[in-house]
Amino acid sequence: MRIVIAGGHGQIALRLERLLSAGGHEVAGIIRRPEQAGDLRDAGAEPVVLDLESASVEMVAAVLQGADAAVFAAGAGPGSGADRKDTVDRAAAVLFADAAERAGVRRYIVVSSMGADATHAGDGVFDAYLRAKGAADDEVRSRTALDWTILRPGSLTDDAGTGLVRLEARTGRGPVPRDDVAATIVELLDTPATAGLTLELVSGSTPLAVAVKDVAGN
């Protein structure tokens, strides 16, 4: 498959690029800063420099042309304010979905967040983040032209992945290594029957390939 990842220099995205490239897939990662390109090449991905906060739908659709799947893994990141939570975590996800539709890319996976909710209350930056993620998820889930899956990991850690997870519509809070999030996305991409599902992910006791098949009904 050819897979295009928004937020290609993110910690989950770089892990995902390595896994997909090692699996023989063609991977492109959208990045905002040219100096990040070398890290993507090291991960086996083609770097595409494009700012999703200012790009047009046509520009993003051109990158997605011919792709088999799109993964939205972008985020404003730590230290950003509420305004950028909206322009990146919400608006860029919607732009990427618009572009996927225009390019005819049906498979669309969103790396969201546990607790994402467009109606979440609170005045803090993290509250704004949860609202932005929730609003983006709602927008993506309204798209009948996309075979979407929303993945909501728990608290992300840099621990080595175990390959053992809990993946359900509701898991309750808990940690999960970024390694296992990336590996779960690979399984989701290989399992089209997970389209239409919103899933929470934490560490658990089920091998992740089995966990994905279970939620897909296989």
Side-chain angles (χ1 to χ4, degrees):
M1 288 192 290
R2 175 173 170 81
I3 299 146
V4 178
I5 302 169
H9 196 257
Q11 294 185 68
I12 291 172
L14 286 168
R15 289 167 167 84
L16 177 59
E17 287 155 4
R18 291 187 194 100
L19 290 173
L20 290 172
S21 176
H25 298 291
E26 182 183 344
V27 190
I30 296 175
I31 53 177
R32 193 161 53 92
R33 298 202 296 271
E35 60 267 26
Q36 298 171 335
D39 291 338
L40 268 73
R41 292 191 187 97
D42 289 345
E46 169 200 349
V48 178
V49 180
L50 187 65
D51 186 349
L52 294 176
E53 290 180 270
S54 59
S56 67
V57 174
E58 290 79 15
M59 291 166 68
V60 184
V63 178
L64 284 162
Q65 199 68 45
D68 299 291
V71 178
F72 185 83
S80 58
D83 288 349
R84 292 202 68 232
K85 303 303 184 193
D86 185 68
T87 57
V88 179
D89 292 284
R90 183 197 61 78
V94 174
L95 172 70
F96 203 52
D98 288 340
E101 287 187 340
R102 187 161 302 195
V105 180
R106 290 199 61 93
R107 191 69 173 113
Y108 191 90
I109 292 178
V110 177
V111 182
S112 183
S113 173
M114 192 172 291
D117 182 351
T119 64
H120 178 83
D123 299 324
V125 173
F126 189 67
D127 299 316
Y129 168 77
L130 292 177
R131 283 193 295 273
K133 280 293 193 185
D137 292 354
D138 290 346
E139 177 68 26
V140 169
R141 288 186 293 202
S142 73
R143 306 296 182 98
T144 58
L146 297 178
D147 295 328
W148 53 264
T149 303
I150 309 292
L151 183 65
R152 293 176 166 177
S155 302
L156 299 169
T157 76
D158 288 325
D159 297 338
T162 66
L164 299 173
V165 300
R166 184 176 175 195
L167 180 70
E168 299 171 15
R170 293 283 185 273
T171 62
R173 295 192 176 276
V176 61
R178 289 179 172 88
D179 286 352
D180 287 336
V181 177
T184 299
I185 295 169
V186 173
E187 292 292 334
L188 292 172
L189 286 166
D190 286 340
T191 313
T194 56
L197 299 178
T198 300
L199 301 166
E200 294 182 350
L201 175 71
V202 295
S203 292
S205 57
T206 304
L208 61 88
V210 175
V212 171
K213 286 183 173 61
D214 285 348
V215 295
N218 295 336

